[in-house]
Amino acid sequence: MTSSEKSTRILVIVPAFNEEKSVVSVAKAARDAYDHVDVLVVNDKSTDETEDLLRKNDIHYLSLPINLGIGGAVQSGFIFAERNNYDIAVQVDGDGQHPPEQIPLLIEPILKDGVDFVIGSRYLQKSQIVSSLARRFGGGMLATFIWLNTRKKVTDPTSGFRAYNQRAIKFLSRNYPQEYPEPISVIELLDCGFKLVEIPVKMKEREFGQSSITGANTFFYMLKVMFAIIIAKLRRGGSYA
């Protein structure tokens, strides 16, 4: 690690809602993944033992007074990162699917190539096989829609395993979508000229709980995302503050 990398301030943002079975191990793994990294768990008004476990394990956390959902929780992390002058923010889900040990690979394009944000993709270079036909079809449909809007290829627009530089942090602290934040934020960042790089990652199987994006729900989820993107663009009138 170079001296400039050592001086880079990095914050790992872990949104968590009722993740008592996994969030502590995720936070500890993220803390150990890279030297001089800080971890902030954003506790989105959990009703289980999430907050107590974070406190007992001496993990830094921010508890929201009301449940804001994934968009509000992650945006709270961006606001914290901007106000505390972090150079890079890394988003890692609290359910254990994202591999914290790959955080160094995620931030490398920002440190060395000057890109604005990086997405860990399950589909780039066939790094992970997703067996669900509905999920593959839905993901391909959404990726095509993003390409038509931005002329940029994004293989995994719903991935929440990401890293952002300081310029992107500032933008997202003000403009992060509350609904379907992962795919919509990709379009908004690309529309505003932010440079994206995807890297191949292999995500872990969900140990606890179940994704809501399964089966026929996948198709309807993608349709709702595309509709939300159109509405967001119309509301903003093609410009961003």
Side-chain angles (χ1 to χ4, degrees), residues 117-122 124 153-157 196-200:
F117 69 116
V118 182
I119 296 177
S121 171
R122 292 160 285 193
L124 194 66
K153 182 178 180 181
V154 183
T155 65
D156 198 353
L196 165 67
V197 165
E198 286 186 292
I199 65 164

Side-chain angles (χ1 to χ4, degrees), residues 151-164:
R151 290 302 188 267
K152 302 289 184 182
K153 182 178 180 181
V154 183
T155 65
D156 198 353
T158 62
S159 169
F161 190 38
R162 303 181 176 191
Y164 305 89

Side-chain angles (χ1 to χ4, degrees), residues 115-238:
V115 305
D116 297 305
F117 69 116
V118 182
I119 296 177
S121 171
R122 292 160 285 193
Y123 312 120
L124 194 66
Q125 298 176 6
K126 297 182 179 179
S127 53
Q128 187 164 2
I129 302 299
V130 177
S131 58
S132 168
L133 178 62
R135 194 172 190 114
R136 290 201 304 271
F137 177 77
M141 185 172 64
L142 182 56
T144 300
F145 183 80
I146 290 175
W147 183 85
L148 290 171
N149 276 269
T150 66
R151 290 302 188 267
K152 302 289 184 182
K153 182 178 180 181
V154 183
T155 65
D156 198 353
T158 62
S159 169
F161 190 38
R162 303 181 176 191
Y164 305 89
N165 68 4
Q166 198 170 59
R167 193 167 75 97
I169 292 170
K170 182 177 181 180
F171 177 85
L172 292 172
S173 69
R174 292 161 172 76
N175 299 289
Y176 199 67
Q178 301 304 296
E179 296 290 336
Y180 315 112
E182 284 86 4
I184 294 178
S185 64
V186 170
I187 284 190
E188 295 189 345
L189 286 164
L190 291 174
D191 277 347
C192 291
F194 289 85
K195 185 178 179 182
L196 165 67
V197 165
E198 286 186 292
I199 65 164
V201 298
K202 187 172 183 179
M203 295 187 188
K204 301 174 183 177
E205 293 294 330
R206 182 187 294 265
E207 293 184 19
F208 308 102
Q210 185 177 1
S211 173
S212 59
I213 311 175
T214 57
N217 289 335
T218 304
F219 178 75
F220 293 109
Y221 172 83
M222 298 305 175
L223 285 180
K224 288 188 287 185
V225 169
M226 289 186 285
F227 182 74
I229 289 170
I230 293 170
I231 295 300
K233 291 173 75 71
L234 290 174
R235 283 179 177 173
R236 294 188 188 278

Side-chain angles (χ1 to χ4, degrees), residues 1-151:
M1 182 181 294
T2 65
S3 58
S4 61
E5 289 174 344
K6 288 181 180 179
S7 63
T8 301
R9 302 191 68 226
I10 302 170
L11 179 69
V12 177
I13 301 167
V14 184
F17 175 68
N18 290 348
E19 304 287 3
E20 63 181 7
K21 296 179 179 179
S22 57
V23 69
V24 170
S25 60
V26 169
K28 288 182 176 179
R31 192 167 55 192
D32 294 339
Y34 198 85
D35 291 338
H36 309 289
V37 67
D38 295 328
V39 175
L40 177 71
V41 176
V42 182
N43 175 32
D44 192 22
K45 193 63 175 178
S46 296
T47 57
D48 62 359
E49 299 300 315
T50 293
E51 183 170 354
D52 289 340
L53 289 170
L54 293 171
R55 185 186 304 112
K56 290 175 182 177
N57 285 275
D58 196 28
I59 295 169
H60 295 295
Y61 67 92
L62 171 67
S63 279
L64 302 180
I66 59 173
N67 179 265
L68 295 180
I70 184 66
V74 174
Q75 186 175 24
S76 298
F78 288 135
I79 293 170
F80 181 93
E82 184 194 10
R83 290 182 179 177
N84 289 277
N85 202 35
Y86 281 94
D87 300 295
I88 295 175
V90 180
Q91 181 182 343
V92 178
D93 284 355
D95 60 12
Q97 290 193 92
H98 297 161
E101 64 273 11
Q102 295 190 47
I103 286 175
L105 298 177
L106 203 65
I107 66 177
E108 184 176 4
I110 295 176
L111 292 172
K112 296 187 176 179
D113 301 325
V115 305
D116 297 305
F117 69 116
V118 182
I119 296 177
S121 171
R122 292 160 285 193
Y123 312 120
L124 194 66
Q125 298 176 6
K126 297 182 179 179
S127 53
Q128 187 164 2
I129 302 299
V130 177
S131 58
S132 168
L133 178 62
R135 194 172 190 114
R136 290 201 304 271
F137 177 77
M141 185 172 64
L142 182 56
T144 300
F145 183 80
I146 290 175
W147 183 85
L148 290 171
N149 276 269
T150 66
R151 290 302 188 267

